[in-house]
Amino acid sequence: MRKPTGPFTLSRRSLVAAAAVAPLASPGVLRGQTAGEVIVRTPGGVYDDVMRRHVYDPFTKETGIRVQPVAATVARLLAMFRANNVELDLIDTGDGPLVTLERMGALAPIAYDQWHWTRPDDIVREVRHEYRCANFIYATVLAYNRESFPNGTHPKSWAEFWDGAKFPGPRMLADMASGQPNLEFALIADGVSKDQLYPLDIDRAFRSLSRVKPHIRKFWDTGALSAQMLSDKEVVLGSVWNGRVQTIIDRGAPLGIEWNQHMIQTQALAVFKGARNGANAQKLIDFMLRPESQAGYARELIYGPTNVKAFDLLPADQLARMPGSPNSRESGFFNNVPWWEDNRDRVNRAWSRWILG
Amino acid sequence: MQAGSAAVVLETVTKRYGADTVVDAVSVSIAQGEFFTLLGPSGSGKTTTLNMLAGFAEPDGGRVLLAGRDVTRAAPRERGLGMVFQNYAIFPHLDTFENVAFPLRVKKAPKREVETRVADALAMVKLTGFERRYARQLSGGQQQRVALARAIVAHPSVVLMDEPLGALDKNLRYHMQVEIKEIQRRLGMTVVYVTHDQEEALTMSDRIAIMNGGRIVQMGPPRDVYEAPENAFVGRFLGEANLIPARRDGLAVASEGGALLESAHGSLGAEGGFLFVRPEKVAVAPEAGTAPGGPNRIAGRVRFAGFLGNVLRYEVDTDQAGSLIADLVNGPGAVLHAAGDTVVLSWSREDCRLLPG
Amino acid sequence: MPLSRLGALLLLAPSILLLVFVFLGPIGWFLVGSFAELGSLAEIWEETRAVVGSRAVALAIANTNWIALQVTFFVLLIGYPLAYALNRARGLAFSLIIIAIVLPYFTSVIVRTYAWMVILGRNGIINQMLLGLGIVSEPLELMYNRLGVVIGMTYVLLPYMVLTLYAAMKAVDPRLLQAAEGMGASRLGVFLRVFLPLTMHGVIAGSLIVFILAIGFFVTPALMGGPSDIMIAMLIEREIELTQNWPVAAMMTVVLLVVTLVLYAIYARFTGGRTGFAR
């Protein structure tokens, strides 16, 4: 997981390990079936189970095309492309890496004109691009421990999150290694308005981060770690992906979400240029984005759909807490993916200087 | 030997391993300055006896006294013994000087004393100039000398040696025997020596205890145990021996084959026994016809004539006493016989001995 | 004997080929490909100086060495007695110690680290116990700081030390120890004058293995360390995964590789000449 890594990205470590040990599932195994197959890079884990139920299995039933999910880091995807040895067809990952691949010329255009399960115009305009199309929306939110901050006494903005005197307790924010540190929140805490964030003032953001650093117990680098830190009460405040924290709230953890000033991010789909099963990949995108599929997995993953028709299929109470919903757009802001793709290198160096300094 | 003057006393010392009694009520008293050897085949209990003396094994019964002091339960280091180990046990990480200095170093002897004593000890074993060599740079004989120097460097009153020459070739072994003996005499050390080599035991010892099955079966000066064994085992173990099965025939003694035997020493058991005579005590006469009749005269045919250099060995098949061996010194005027020659073997009644069966 | 040498070479051929294909080849491809992106040698040199000379990388390298040194020290401190116990243990006790040492290797790093969180966390077992007994009034910070990194890495690397030391201890002739005792040495004297020197090459080899492995760590420090516990491998990983800045990653890798190879050369010297003690 790297760039605006999806919230469901497997731990980088296990992916690297898996990639080092096992070659990608050999396509030859499945070949020979008339309808063929499609090999998808996914974040793995529970995500695959949900997708299998709501997308892959129904898709296979409908078309006869087998879906083969595999794990691969972004670095591995890049290596495949550079080595001219593209072993998979469809990439399901954070928006950021896809921008990088797009700029390298590694992606094929999305065949919107061929779609027949989904109407392209139903997909939210902001997330529908020539080479990539978002399949769900998630958010980085402010989470707090309800035992430490009962009855609405929790910080209700990033400025308050930054105020260690008024809101004591250990905190966490995202590490550079998670893909992007929370520079936006740092700027908001420093008084920048959420619609004037980009281009980010990196120096100012780090100055702001320095003020909260004494209260930071850990910068998290994986979604799993962030959820663990919250549920173990290692921290009582933190930035976290909404799906991660919602899952543990649903299991009874005494945690709450402050939706004010959350950052809206997207997970997206793209097809490798020259992929063996490119046509099948295009079909799977079409199928995955239809309202029924999106409503199904959005409900389970607690991330927002990108197909406006899917909103109609969701109950009101669930809709209220979904990123990308009208409420969400009101209180949050969109992550600027291209800015991050342009500046990640600079931020990375600034981060190293800052964290070690 | 009086207990008061004894350097080493073992009193009915017993050692059991499980159901096996490896040392069975061994009692010896060794005088100051005596060279005492425990001789026996492997498994006879001699090394275990030595280990109990050294403190490496604790007796299950009996007492160990050193110069009158009960050390039965004392740790090895409290016994103040010098030791030469099987395979030398030279420390590979220390050079010759430090190896020899070891017993002084652990006693925290002053530097000057260490230097002079080590120099003396090395001079005594003729290793002056080898101080900075490591074991791997020394020959087997030199390593043996290091071990010897180390054993005597602290001037212990008693030195234990466990098969110290076992790894050396025959020539070297003889030289070392002489040297050890000389050093022992010069320093007036008490030596308790363990070996399975009877020649070595005979050459070096003041007294030999022959062990078998965990017991001392005979003890005495070399000449006594050699020439006057008290049983067939000792007779056989200490070099070549003719043991002619014998029984009482009225007042006389006869071999199983009917030859008349006569001895000035020993007696048969109730069930009969053996007539014991060393090969070198047996005379070989050329012709049967010319030899006068009488006891201890047996005719036979040379089966094998061996030339051992200084000795001529004949193996003679006899009708009356089976196969017998006779050794003749290859001296002036020695008569040679060939295989197939008919000869008469004879020995004096003083030179043989009757043993119980 | 040329024949046996040829035979040995043939026997080794599969391993050598495997190494070349799965290890040397990819590394070479990675380095050449990465540096090729930079162009001329002068540019490569310039970039190398800029990266390796940067304050962040210098600090990370300093951190890395210091952490690795601390970890090596604690691994040795714990590993030596453990190896000693293993060397003396027989039967069931031996199996139990071996299992205790090796078993964690059957679980993933992630699982092991989460287990540490349960034990060392602010509300973890140790803190709950200390708080419950009234020994401390505030939870101790046992992880998400340098202490956490050292604890985690010490645990992960312990088996390398224990098994290396065990091999060295097993090779010590017990008769030498008995001889030392017979010549008047106390228990401590036997240990200090004979056993320790005779296992010293194991101590050095084990320490080097642990140190070499430690300087390449990134998972444990990332999971158990605090904000500034950054090791060089974590920077490399970020350059690969996050910014895809492969030339920079390649240069840092070369730096790490050089350090490792130098240490390996020392290691080889200490293990190559088995009999070569004090020279």
Side-chain angles (χ1 to χ4, degrees):
Chain A
M1 91 202 39
R2 61 141 297 195
K3 308 207 164 173
T5 44
F8 271 96
T9 11
L10 262 190
S11 117
R12 256 169 308 144
R13 281 85 207 215
S14 52
L15 280 180
V16 173
V21 174
L24 288 184
S26 159
V29 175
L30 297 170
R31 218 175 278 141
Q33 297 200 357
T34 45
E37 59 167 353
V38 54
I39 301 170
V40 190
R41 182 275 169 195
T42 79
V46 80
Y47 183 88
D48 281 0
D49 301 336
V50 172
M51 281 304 187
R52 189 173 294 286
R53 265 199 308 283
H54 293 284
V55 181
Y56 304 156
D57 285 352
F59 178 70
T60 304
K61 216 164 141 192
E62 187 105 10
T63 62
I65 298 166
R66 296 274 303 268
V67 180
Q68 175 79 21
V70 297
T73 61
V74 174
R76 193 168 156 74
L77 297 178
L78 289 176
M80 275 182 198
F81 179 70
R82 288 185 194 198
N84 204 9
N85 180 26
V86 173
E87 295 171 30
L88 47 75
D89 310 303
L90 183 61
I91 306 163
D92 180 349
T93 189
D95 224 351
L98 294 182
V99 171
T100 304
L101 287 166
E102 180 184 326
R103 290 179 181 175
M104 289 171 69
L107 301 181
I110 306 280
Y112 291 107
D113 54 333
Q114 312 262 310
W115 285 10
H116 86 267
W117 286 290
T118 304
R119 262 174 31 101
D121 287 345
D122 289 344
I123 304 294
V124 175
R125 183 68 206 96
E126 288 96 322
V127 301
R128 175 160 41 93
H129 305 283
E130 190 182 353
Y131 290 96
R132 60 200 151 91
C133 187
N135 55 341
F136 65 78
I137 296 174
Y138 64 100
T140 306
V141 297
L142 191 165
Y144 59 94
N145 190 298
R146 279 192 279 114
E147 288 168 352
S148 303
F149 303 103
N151 311 318
T153 56
H154 64 272
K156 295 179 186 67
S157 69
W158 292 109
E160 291 186 344
F161 181 99
W162 251 244
D163 188 344
K166 208 169 150 200
F167 301 91
R171 295 147 156 76
M172 65 174 181
L173 286 173
D175 192 277
M176 186 69 219
S178 73
Q180 58 185 72
N182 299 131
L183 299 189
E184 289 89 347
F185 300 153
L187 289 170
I188 290 172
D190 200 36
V192 178
S193 128
K194 70 183 165 73
D195 37 339
Q196 310 222 315
L197 287 169
Y198 299 97
L200 302 179
D201 181 339
I202 297 174
D203 291 341
R204 183 174 175 184
F206 277 107
R207 279 197 303 276
S208 173
L209 276 177
S210 294
R211 284 194 292 279
V212 79
K213 198 179 179 187
H215 308 289
I216 299 290
R217 183 155 166 78
K218 177 84 182 160
F219 288 96
W220 55 267
D221 59 347
T222 63
L225 179 64
S226 63
Q228 192 72 33
M229 304 258 325
L230 279 169
S231 67
D232 287 353
K233 219 182 162 189
E234 290 290 344
V235 294
V236 297
L237 289 173
S239 68
V240 64
W241 292 321
N242 73 298
R244 287 285 186 180
V245 67
Q246 191 65 53
T247 307
I248 51 177
I249 289 174
D250 291 350
R251 278 196 224 125
L255 300 169
I257 295 173
E258 172 55 58
W259 280 98
N260 187 34
Q261 298 172 341
H262 68 275
M263 182 165 71
I264 302 166
Q265 289 159 278
T266 53
Q267 174 100 353
L269 304 170
V271 179
F272 249 132
K273 191 191 275 176
R276 286 193 199 94
N277 308 296
N280 289 348
Q282 297 284 3
K283 275 187 204 161
L284 182 56
I285 292 177
D286 179 9
F287 190 85
M288 197 186 293
L289 296 181
R290 66 191 186 131
E292 299 82 357
S293 302
Q294 285 217 353
Y297 63 72
R299 195 161 38 224
E300 284 204 52
L301 297 170
I302 320 162
Y303 289 119
T306 56
N307 188 321
V308 293
K309 292 278 167 54
F311 285 97
D312 303 341
L313 302 174
L314 293 166
D317 64 319
Q318 289 212 346
L319 208 50
R321 63 182 201 189
M322 273 188 176
S325 68
N327 285 345
S328 155
R329 285 154 186 254
E330 184 82 9
S331 58
F333 62 93
F334 271 91
N335 177 45
N336 186 331
V337 176
W339 186 88
W340 275 101
E341 292 318 299
D342 290 339
N343 293 282
R344 180 164 282 106
D345 226 8
R346 270 176 64 211
V347 175
N348 184 35
R349 291 211 199 303
W351 174 270
S352 293
R353 265 198 313 278
W354 177 74
I355 198 106
L356 285 162
Chain B
M1 208 141 301
Q2 289 146 4
S5 66
V8 177
V9 173
L10 299 179
E11 275 180 14
T12 62
V13 165
T14 300
K15 182 74 190 174
R16 280 182 284 269
Y17 289 119
D20 282 347
T21 303
V22 268
V23 175
D24 191 358
V26 163
S27 295
V28 297
S29 179
I30 301 165
Q32 176 62 46
E34 186 177 8
F35 197 113
F36 185 88
T37 298
L38 290 167
L39 172 68
S42 57
S44 62
K46 57 188 192 305
T47 294
T48 306
T49 304
L50 194 75
N51 280 340
M52 288 190 284
L53 185 47
F56 297 140
E58 197 172 300
D60 294 313
R63 294 205 302 162
V64 179
L65 291 98
L66 290 174
R69 187 167 67 99
D70 187 337
V71 295
T72 314
R73 309 269 177 261
R77 65 193 178 90
E78 293 159 21
R79 304 191 180 201
L81 301 165
M83 296 188 195
V84 179
F85 299 89
Q86 221 169 349
N87 303 31
Y88 321 131
I90 306 283
F91 299 122
H93 62 295
L94 299 178
D95 62 18
T96 297
F97 183 93
E98 285 303 326
N99 260 286
V100 175
F102 192 91
L104 304 172
R105 295 271 191 231
V106 298
K107 278 197 284 190
K108 311 242 185 312
K111 195 168 178 281
R112 287 297 298 268
E113 187 189 333
V114 171
E115 278 169 8
T116 51
R117 287 206 181 192
V118 171
D120 287 352
L122 286 176
M124 199 160 296
V125 299
K126 302 179 182 122
L127 270 186
T128 306
F130 288 80
E131 286 82 356
R132 296 297 156 217
R133 301 262 189 110
Y134 286 87
R136 62 177 183 281
Q137 299 165 312
L138 297 172
S139 70
Q142 288 166 336
Q143 291 184 36
Q144 216 291 324
R145 286 164 201 265
V146 173
L148 189 60
R150 193 173 59 180
I152 62 176
V153 73
H155 299 339
S157 60
V158 178
V159 175
L160 311 184
M161 301 191 186
D162 185 9
E163 307 255 11
L165 307 179
L168 301 182
D169 65 49
K170 201 178 155 135
N171 263 330
L172 202 52
R173 199 149 71 198
Y174 179 73
H175 282 293
M176 285 310 299
Q177 285 170 9
V178 173
E179 267 185 50
I180 289 173
K181 190 70 189 166
E182 269 176 21
I183 291 169
Q184 182 250 339
R185 279 212 198 95
R186 196 158 0 137
L187 299 180
M189 301 184 307
T190 308
V191 172
V192 182
Y193 195 96
V194 162
T195 184
H196 66 273
D197 182 325
Q198 44 90 13
E199 254 182 67
E200 195 168 291
L202 295 172
T203 309
M204 305 179 76
S205 313
D206 295 322
R207 218 152 40 105
I208 300 173
I210 295 125
M211 293 193 69
N212 191 30
R215 294 167 173 276
I216 292 179
V217 292
Q218 189 171 349
M219 183 155 59
R223 194 161 177 143
D224 289 8
V225 292
Y226 183 79
E227 298 198 332
E230 287 164 7
N231 54 54
F233 172 81
V234 174
R236 220 183 331 248
F237 192 70
L238 283 177
E240 291 290 338
N242 292 303
L243 286 160
I244 304 166
R247 54 181 165 73
R248 220 172 295 277
D249 189 8
L251 284 176
V253 174
S255 74
E256 303 283 349
L260 188 62
L261 301 173
E262 189 179 288
S263 171
H265 309 288
S267 59
L268 296 177
E271 305 290 311
F274 302 96
L275 181 120
F276 159 88
V277 61
R278 292 283 177 202
E280 65 271 21
K281 305 290 187 188
V282 178
V284 185
E287 285 172 43
T290 60
N296 300 344
R297 292 179 63 82
I298 298 174
R301 182 183 297 273
V302 175
R303 173 164 49 83
F304 171 80
F307 179 68
L308 309 184
N310 56 341
V311 167
L312 305 168
R313 167 159 297 181
Y314 298 106
E315 292 186 26
V316 179
D317 288 335
T318 68
D319 290 339
Q320 291 177 305
S323 179
L324 296 178
I325 298 173
D327 284 347
L328 265 68
V329 176
N330 188 9
V335 183
L336 291 168
H337 302 278
D341 288 359
T342 306
V343 293
V344 171
L345 305 178
S346 64
W347 55 90
S348 104
R349 61 192 291 275
E350 296 295 330
D351 287 337
C352 62
R353 192 175 182 86
L354 292 172
L355 300 176
Chain C
M1 290 213 270
L3 193 67
S4 76
R5 185 168 294 178
L6 185 69
L9 210 61
L10 280 175
L11 281 174
L12 278 175
S15 333
I16 292 172
L17 281 177
L18 189 73
L19 264 184
V20 168
F21 272 105
V22 308
F23 185 68
L24 294 178
I27 283 192
W29 176 78
F30 167 68
L31 292 180
V32 170
S34 301
F35 287 131
E37 282 186 17
L38 287 175
S40 75
L41 274 177
E43 282 170 292
I44 293 175
W45 172 242
E46 205 39 56
E47 182 82 17
T48 307
R49 263 191 35 204
V51 168
V52 178
S54 78
R55 187 175 144 74
V57 170
L59 280 171
I61 288 176
N63 261 349
T64 303
N65 281 295
W66 180 227
I67 291 174
L69 211 61
Q70 286 172 301
V71 168
T72 305
F73 174 77
F74 285 110
V75 166
L76 184 60
L77 203 67
I78 300 167
Y80 200 94
L82 207 54
Y84 189 78
L86 191 62
N87 187 40
R88 310 211 89 183
R90 298 284 174 274
L92 188 65
F94 179 85
S95 310
L96 284 178
I97 298 176
I98 280 278
I99 288 170
I101 291 170
V102 179
L103 197 63
Y105 276 64
F106 292 98
T107 59
S108 79
V109 181
I110 309 284
V111 172
R112 265 184 283 156
T113 308
Y114 280 111
W116 275 119
M117 293 181 188
V118 172
I119 297 167
L120 299 176
R122 228 159 65 100
N123 304 295
I125 294 167
I126 290 180
N127 269 320
Q128 300 238 331
M129 221 163 65
L130 293 176
L131 288 167
L133 293 171
I135 296 169
V136 296
S137 55
E138 281 284 301
L140 297 178
E141 304 273 326
L142 300 173
M143 63 186 299
Y144 306 126
N145 52 23
R146 181 62 57 87
L147 179 65
V149 179
V150 172
I151 291 174
M153 287 176 65
T154 298
Y155 173 70
V156 172
L157 290 170
L158 194 58
Y160 295 96
M161 179 65 87
V162 171
L163 295 178
T164 307
L165 285 175
Y166 174 71
M169 290 179 183
K170 208 76 217 167
V172 173
D173 186 346
R175 288 176 302 188
L176 291 178
L177 308 178
Q178 200 181 55
E181 211 188 339
M183 283 183 279
S186 61
R187 286 277 153 119
L188 187 66
V190 172
F191 177 77
L192 291 178
R193 288 174 187 277
V194 182
F195 194 76
L196 190 60
L198 285 178
T199 51
M200 198 41 91
H201 69 285
V203 169
I204 291 165
S207 299
L208 279 168
I209 291 177
V210 168
F211 191 88
I212 287 168
L213 289 173
I215 57 176
F217 258 53
F218 63 91
V219 180
T220 309
L223 283 172
M224 295 186 68
S228 56
D229 294 314
I230 306 289
M231 295 180 73
I232 186 74
M234 294 161 74
L235 292 187
I236 296 174
E237 194 216 12
R238 261 177 22 208
E239 297 291 349
I240 299 264
E241 286 289 329
L242 217 56
T243 58
Q244 281 84 44
N245 200 339
W246 289 16
V248 172
M251 278 178 288
M252 293 190 200
T253 305
V254 169
V255 171
L256 188 58
L257 199 63
V258 167
V259 174
T260 309
L261 285 177
V262 167
L263 289 170
Y264 179 76
I266 299 172
Y267 170 75
R269 212 186 106 69
F270 272 100
T271 51
R274 267 259 158 247
T275 52
F277 294 100
R279 206 163 279 249

